[in-house]
Amino acid sequence: MRLASNSVLFVTLTLFVLIGTLNFKVCDGQRLNGLKMKNFYRKSCPKVDVEKIVQEITWKNVAANPSLGAKLLRVHYHDCFVRGCDASLLLDPTPNQATQVEKQARPNLSLSGFEVIDEIKTRLEKECPDTVSCADILALAARDAVSFPFQKQMWKVPLGRRDGRDSLASEALTDLPSASSNFTTLKELFDRKKLNTVDLVALSGAHTIGLTRCGVISRRLFNFTGNGDTDPSINPTFADILKAQCAGANGNVLEMDPGSSTSFDGHYYKNLNENKGVFQSDAALLTNRFSKFLAKRFERDNTFFANFATSMINMGSVEVLTRKNQGEIRKNCRFVN
C-alpha cells in the first residue's frame, strides 16, 4: 500500500527523532548565515581566548547565583526574536530618545542578568578592544550559564555577529511569543524566523529551568473564558495547586518546571505530557500531532539535549548582522557607539 506524502514525512521524522536530532547539524569550520562555527576571533584577538574569558566570568557568576542560567537564556531568546540576534535588547534608553527601546517593552521588564554581560564586555575591551560584539557575548554567556552544572559546553556557538543600532519596544510586542499563545500563533512566529516545529518544541524546553509569577497565568487559572473558569487543558489537581499558590497574589513566584526548576533536563516534557504545563503556550504543544510526538520523545534527556543544542544554533543565527556595513561592534553593550 502506498503511503500518503504526509504519512511518509511523519514516519521519516519519527525515525530521525528515535535516532537523535531532527535538525541539521553544522560541522566545525562551516559557516551558518555568515557566522563561523570555529576560531572566529583567532586572527582578530590572537593573544586572547575569547570563549574562555566568557566562560570564566559566566561560570563565576552562575556559581554565586544559579538562577542566571534561566535568566541569560531568556535574554538571548528575547533578543533573537526581535531584529535577530543583534544585542538590540541590551540597549538602554537615552534621555533624548523618541521611542521606547526593547528593554522597556512589557515582556522584557522582568529580564535580568545584564550586569554579567557588562562584566564580560569590560574585560574583553581591555584584552582585545573594539573586536568582540555584544551579540556574540550574549550568545556565549547564555550557553555557558546553562552549561555550568554540566561543566562542559552543551552546544557550539557560531560567532561573527555584529551589534544592531536600533531597538524598538513596539517590535518586541509583536515578535515575541507570549505565555498565552496557541500553537498556530507560535508556529507563525517561529516560521517568520525560519525556525521549524522541532525548534519550537525543543526551545520550549528552556522552561525546564527558571521561575515565573502568578500574574502571567492568572487568567488561565481564574478567568480563562471570562466566566471565572479554568483552562480545561490543565490537569485538575495541578490547577488546584497553582490556584492555591496564586490566590489573590499575582506577584507570587512559581516554578516553570514544578519539582525540577533548577535542573536542566527533560523533566519539563514529563510534566507537560501529564497536562501540567504552567503556560498556555506549553499546553499548546500538545494540540498538534507532530509537536505532541516530539514532546513525548524529549522526555529522554539525551534526545532533548541533542535537539536543544541544534535548535540553539539555529536560533542563534536568526537574522544576524555579519557584514562590515551592517551594525557595529559596541564599546559598551548598553549604548550605540
Side-chain angles (χ1 to χ4, degrees), residues 3 10-11 30 72 92 114-116 135 174 177 240 270 297 299-300 330 336:
L3 292 171
F10 187 74
V11 171
Q30 186 172 335
L72 289 173
D92 279 350
F114 300 109
E115 66 284 348
V116 178
T174 58
D240 288 341
K270 294 177 182 177
R297 294 298 171 188
E299 287 185 10
R300 304 173 183 175
R330 285 182 218 147
V336 296

PDB file of all heavy atoms in Angstrom, residues 3 10-11 30 72 92 114-116 135 174 177 240 270 297 299-300 330 336:
ATOM      1  N   LEU A   3       1.837   4.953   0.895  1.00  0.00           N
ATOM      2  CA  LEU A   3       1.538   5.911   1.953  1.00  0.00           C
ATOM      3  C   LEU A   3       1.369   7.305   1.378  1.00  0.00           C
ATOM      4  O   LEU A   3       2.028   7.681   0.411  1.00  0.00           O
ATOM      5  CB  LEU A   3       2.665   5.938   2.992  1.00  0.00           C
ATOM      6  CG  LEU A   3       2.847   4.685   3.843  1.00  0.00           C
ATOM      7  CD1 LEU A   3       4.133   4.820   4.634  1.00  0.00           C
ATOM      8  CD2 LEU A   3       1.673   4.469   4.769  1.00  0.00           C
ATOM      9  N   PHE A  10       5.941  11.888   8.215  1.00  0.00           N
ATOM     10  CA  PHE A  10       5.830  11.640   9.643  1.00  0.00           C
ATOM     11  C   PHE A  10       6.652  10.418  10.063  1.00  0.00           C
ATOM     12  O   PHE A  10       7.354  10.448  11.068  1.00  0.00           O
ATOM     13  CB  PHE A  10       4.358  11.432  10.021  1.00  0.00           C
ATOM     14  CG  PHE A  10       4.132  11.337  11.508  1.00  0.00           C
ATOM     15  CD1 PHE A  10       4.204  12.471  12.292  1.00  0.00           C
ATOM     16  CD2 PHE A  10       3.883  10.128  12.118  1.00  0.00           C
ATOM     17  CE1 PHE A  10       4.007  12.404  13.659  1.00  0.00           C
ATOM     18  CE2 PHE A  10       3.682  10.044  13.481  1.00  0.00           C
ATOM     19  CZ  PHE A  10       3.743  11.188  14.250  1.00  0.00           C
ATOM     20  N   VAL A  11       6.591   9.358   9.260  1.00  0.00           N
ATOM     21  CA  VAL A  11       7.366   8.157   9.570  1.00  0.00           C
ATOM     22  C   VAL A  11       8.860   8.459   9.510  1.00  0.00           C
ATOM     23  O   VAL A  11       9.640   8.044  10.373  1.00  0.00           O
ATOM     24  CB  VAL A  11       7.013   7.018   8.597  1.00  0.00           C
ATOM     25  CG1 VAL A  11       7.979   5.853   8.784  1.00  0.00           C
ATOM     26  CG2 VAL A  11       5.590   6.547   8.827  1.00  0.00           C
ATOM     27  N   GLN A  30      32.378  25.264   9.396  1.00  0.00           N
ATOM     28  CA  GLN A  30      31.396  25.648   8.398  1.00  0.00           C
ATOM     29  C   GLN A  30      30.709  26.935   8.818  1.00  0.00           C
ATOM     30  O   GLN A  30      30.545  27.217   9.995  1.00  0.00           O
ATOM     31  CB  GLN A  30      30.367  24.537   8.230  1.00  0.00           C
ATOM     32  CG  GLN A  30      29.367  24.782   7.110  1.00  0.00           C
ATOM     33  CD  GLN A  30      28.511  23.565   6.874  1.00  0.00           C
ATOM     34  OE1 GLN A  30      28.909  22.455   7.173  1.00  0.00           O
ATOM     35  NE2 GLN A  30      27.330  23.779   6.336  1.00  0.00           N
ATOM     36  N   LEU A  72      19.840  34.351  31.648  1.00  0.00           N
ATOM     37  CA  LEU A  72      20.608  34.693  30.448  1.00  0.00           C
ATOM     38  C   LEU A  72      20.073  33.979  29.216  1.00  0.00           C
ATOM     39  O   LEU A  72      20.100  34.525  28.108  1.00  0.00           O
ATOM     40  CB  LEU A  72      22.088  34.369  30.664  1.00  0.00           C
ATOM     41  CG  LEU A  72      22.804  35.304  31.642  1.00  0.00           C
ATOM     42  CD1 LEU A  72      24.218  34.808  31.940  1.00  0.00           C
ATOM     43  CD2 LEU A  72      22.853  36.736  31.104  1.00  0.00           C
ATOM     44  N   ASP A  92      20.124  50.455  26.473  1.00  0.00           N
ATOM     45  CA  ASP A  92      19.387  51.214  27.474  1.00  0.00           C
ATOM     46  C   ASP A  92      18.714  52.422  26.815  1.00  0.00           C
ATOM     47  O   ASP A  92      19.185  52.926  25.782  1.00  0.00           O
ATOM     48  CB  ASP A  92      20.333  51.720  28.565  1.00  0.00           C
ATOM     49  CG  ASP A  92      20.644  50.655  29.595  1.00  0.00           C
ATOM     50  OD1 ASP A  92      19.987  49.588  29.585  1.00  0.00           O
ATOM     51  OD2 ASP A  92      21.550  50.883  30.421  1.00  0.00           O
ATOM     52  N   PHE A 114      21.859  41.390  32.974  1.00  0.00           N
ATOM     53  CA  PHE A 114      22.614  42.276  32.085  1.00  0.00           C
ATOM     54  C   PHE A 114      23.991  42.632  32.646  1.00  0.00           C
ATOM     55  O   PHE A 114      24.935  42.881  31.889  1.00  0.00           O
ATOM     56  CB  PHE A 114      21.813  43.558  31.831  1.00  0.00           C
ATOM     57  CG  PHE A 114      20.478  43.317  31.185  1.00  0.00           C
ATOM     58  CD1 PHE A 114      19.304  43.495  31.900  1.00  0.00           C
ATOM     59  CD2 PHE A 114      20.389  42.914  29.860  1.00  0.00           C
ATOM     60  CE1 PHE A 114      18.068  43.270  31.308  1.00  0.00           C
ATOM     61  CE2 PHE A 114      19.159  42.694  29.259  1.00  0.00           C
ATOM     62  CZ  PHE A 114      18.000  42.868  29.984  1.00  0.00           C
ATOM     63  N   GLU A 115      24.104  42.660  33.971  1.00  0.00           N
ATOM     64  CA  GLU A 115      25.384  43.038  34.576  1.00  0.00           C
ATOM     65  C   GLU A 115      26.478  42.013  34.269  1.00  0.00           C
ATOM     66  O   GLU A 115      27.672  42.361  34.230  1.00  0.00           O
ATOM     67  CB  GLU A 115      25.227  43.217  36.089  1.00  0.00           C
ATOM     68  CG  GLU A 115      24.905  41.941  36.869  1.00  0.00           C
ATOM     69  CD  GLU A 115      23.476  41.465  36.740  1.00  0.00           C
ATOM     70  OE1 GLU A 115      22.637  42.228  36.224  1.00  0.00           O
ATOM     71  OE2 GLU A 115      23.198  40.333  37.172  1.00  0.00           O
ATOM     72  N   VAL A 116      26.103  40.771  34.020  1.00  0.00           N
ATOM     73  CA  VAL A 116      27.099  39.756  33.650  1.00  0.00           C
ATOM     74  C   VAL A 116      27.669  40.066  32.269  1.00  0.00           C
ATOM     75  O   VAL A 116      28.883  39.970  32.040  1.00  0.00           O
ATOM     76  CB  VAL A 116      26.480  38.345  33.664  1.00  0.00           C
ATOM     77  CG1 VAL A 116      27.511  37.305  33.237  1.00  0.00           C
ATOM     78  CG2 VAL A 116      25.923  38.011  35.040  1.00  0.00           C
ATOM     79  N   ALA A 135      26.563  40.934  20.853  1.00  0.00           N
ATOM     80  CA  ALA A 135      25.691  39.852  20.399  1.00  0.00           C
ATOM     81  C   ALA A 135      26.375  38.498  20.559  1.00  0.00           C
ATOM     82  O   ALA A 135      25.753  37.516  20.992  1.00  0.00           O
ATOM     83  CB  ALA A 135      25.291  40.080  18.947  1.00  0.00           C
ATOM     84  N   THR A 174       5.209  42.678  19.136  1.00  0.00           N
ATOM     85  CA  THR A 174       4.647  41.929  18.005  1.00  0.00           C
ATOM     86  C   THR A 174       5.419  40.655  17.675  1.00  0.00           C
ATOM     87  O   THR A 174       4.843  39.721  17.112  1.00  0.00           O
ATOM     88  CB  THR A 174       4.599  42.811  16.746  1.00  0.00           C
ATOM     89  OG1 THR A 174       5.921  43.278  16.439  1.00  0.00           O
ATOM     90  CG2 THR A 174       3.682  44.007  16.956  1.00  0.00           C
ATOM     91  N   PRO A 177       6.746  35.533  21.222  1.00  0.00           N
ATOM     92  CA  PRO A 177       5.639  34.670  21.641  1.00  0.00           C
ATOM     93  C   PRO A 177       5.269  34.982  23.084  1.00  0.00           C
ATOM     94  O   PRO A 177       6.119  35.359  23.886  1.00  0.00           O
ATOM     95  CB  PRO A 177       6.235  33.259  21.524  1.00  0.00           C
ATOM     96  CG  PRO A 177       7.400  33.391  20.600  1.00  0.00           C
ATOM     97  CD  PRO A 177       7.945  34.768  20.840  1.00  0.00           C
ATOM     98  N   ASP A 240      -5.502  23.060  40.847  1.00  0.00           N
ATOM     99  CA  ASP A 240      -5.820  23.417  42.232  1.00  0.00           C
ATOM    100  C   ASP A 240      -4.573  23.837  43.001  1.00  0.00           C
ATOM    101  O   ASP A 240      -4.613  24.764  43.828  1.00  0.00           O
ATOM    102  CB  ASP A 240      -6.494  22.234  42.933  1.00  0.00           C
ATOM    103  CG  ASP A 240      -7.911  21.984  42.447  1.00  0.00           C
ATOM    104  OD1 ASP A 240      -8.500  22.909  41.849  1.00  0.00           O
ATOM    105  OD2 ASP A 240      -8.424  20.869  42.659  1.00  0.00           O
ATOM    106  N   LYS A 270       7.966  15.777  30.786  1.00  0.00           N
ATOM    107  CA  LYS A 270       7.203  14.817  31.581  1.00  0.00           C
ATOM    108  C   LYS A 270       6.004  15.513  32.219  1.00  0.00           C
ATOM    109  O   LYS A 270       4.884  14.999  32.198  1.00  0.00           O
ATOM    110  CB  LYS A 270       8.095  14.187  32.651  1.00  0.00           C
ATOM    111  CG  LYS A 270       9.208  13.310  32.079  1.00  0.00           C
ATOM    112  CD  LYS A 270      10.124  12.757  33.171  1.00  0.00           C
ATOM    113  CE  LYS A 270      11.253  11.941  32.548  1.00  0.00           C
ATOM    114  NZ  LYS A 270      12.205  11.452  33.567  1.00  0.00           N
ATOM    115  N   ARG A 297       8.981  12.335  23.029  1.00  0.00           N
ATOM    116  CA  ARG A 297      10.356  11.867  22.808  1.00  0.00           C
ATOM    117  C   ARG A 297      11.368  12.663  23.620  1.00  0.00           C
ATOM    118  O   ARG A 297      12.380  12.142  24.069  1.00  0.00           O
ATOM    119  CB  ARG A 297      10.715  11.945  21.311  1.00  0.00           C
ATOM    120  CG  ARG A 297       9.914  10.997  20.445  1.00  0.00           C
ATOM    121  CD  ARG A 297      10.170   9.563  20.823  1.00  0.00           C
ATOM    122  NE  ARG A 297       9.248   8.668  20.138  1.00  0.00           N
ATOM    123  CZ  ARG A 297       9.144   7.374  20.390  1.00  0.00           C
ATOM    124  NH1 ARG A 297       9.881   6.826  21.329  1.00  0.00           N
ATOM    125  NH2 ARG A 297       8.286   6.629  19.726  1.00  0.00           N
ATOM    126  N   GLU A 299      11.202  13.700  26.513  1.00  0.00           N
ATOM    127  CA  GLU A 299      11.313  13.325  27.919  1.00  0.00           C
ATOM    128  C   GLU A 299      12.669  12.681  28.199  1.00  0.00           C
ATOM    129  O   GLU A 299      13.162  12.736  29.330  1.00  0.00           O
ATOM    130  CB  GLU A 299      10.203  12.339  28.301  1.00  0.00           C
ATOM    131  CG  GLU A 299       8.820  12.955  28.404  1.00  0.00           C
ATOM    132  CD  GLU A 299       7.792  11.947  28.906  1.00  0.00           C
ATOM    133  OE1 GLU A 299       8.196  10.853  29.353  1.00  0.00           O
ATOM    134  OE2 GLU A 299       6.587  12.260  28.867  1.00  0.00           O
ATOM    135  N   ARG A 300      13.254  12.094  27.190  1.00  0.00           N
ATOM    136  CA  ARG A 300      14.582  11.476  27.329  1.00  0.00           C
ATOM    137  C   ARG A 300      15.638  12.574  27.285  1.00  0.00           C
ATOM    138  O   ARG A 300      15.746  13.316  26.312  1.00  0.00           O
ATOM    139  CB  ARG A 300      14.826  10.482  26.194  1.00  0.00           C
ATOM    140  CG  ARG A 300      13.769   9.403  26.063  1.00  0.00           C
ATOM    141  CD  ARG A 300      14.005   8.579  24.813  1.00  0.00           C
ATOM    142  NE  ARG A 300      12.972   7.575  24.612  1.00  0.00           N
ATOM    143  CZ  ARG A 300      12.890   6.790  23.543  1.00  0.00           C
ATOM    144  NH1 ARG A 300      13.789   6.893  22.587  1.00  0.00           N
ATOM    145  NH2 ARG A 300      11.916   5.907  23.434  1.00  0.00           N
ATOM    146  N   ARG A 330      29.940  47.398  19.463  1.00  0.00           N
ATOM    147  CA  ARG A 330      29.790  48.392  20.519  1.00  0.00           C
ATOM    148  C   ARG A 330      30.940  48.350  21.506  1.00  0.00           C
ATOM    149  O   ARG A 330      31.465  47.284  21.821  1.00  0.00           O
ATOM    150  CB  ARG A 330      28.486  48.144  21.297  1.00  0.00           C
ATOM    151  CG  ARG A 330      27.231  48.538  20.583  1.00  0.00           C
ATOM    152  CD  ARG A 330      25.997  48.294  21.442  1.00  0.00           C
ATOM    153  NE  ARG A 330      24.904  47.818  20.593  1.00  0.00           N
ATOM    154  CZ  ARG A 330      23.974  46.974  20.959  1.00  0.00           C
ATOM    155  NH1 ARG A 330      23.993  46.463  22.183  1.00  0.00           N
ATOM    156  NH2 ARG A 330      23.027  46.619  20.116  1.00  0.00           N
ATOM    157  N   VAL A 336      24.830  52.574  21.781  1.00  0.00           N
ATOM    158  CA  VAL A 336      25.481  52.531  20.475  1.00  0.00           C
ATOM    159  C   VAL A 336      26.710  53.432  20.529  1.00  0.00           C
ATOM    160  O   VAL A 336      26.821  54.314  21.387  1.00  0.00           O
ATOM    161  CB  VAL A 336      24.526  52.994  19.353  1.00  0.00           C
ATOM    162  CG1 VAL A 336      23.341  52.039  19.238  1.00  0.00           C
ATOM    163  CG2 VAL A 336      24.044  54.422  19.587  1.00  0.00           C
TER     164      VAL A 336
END
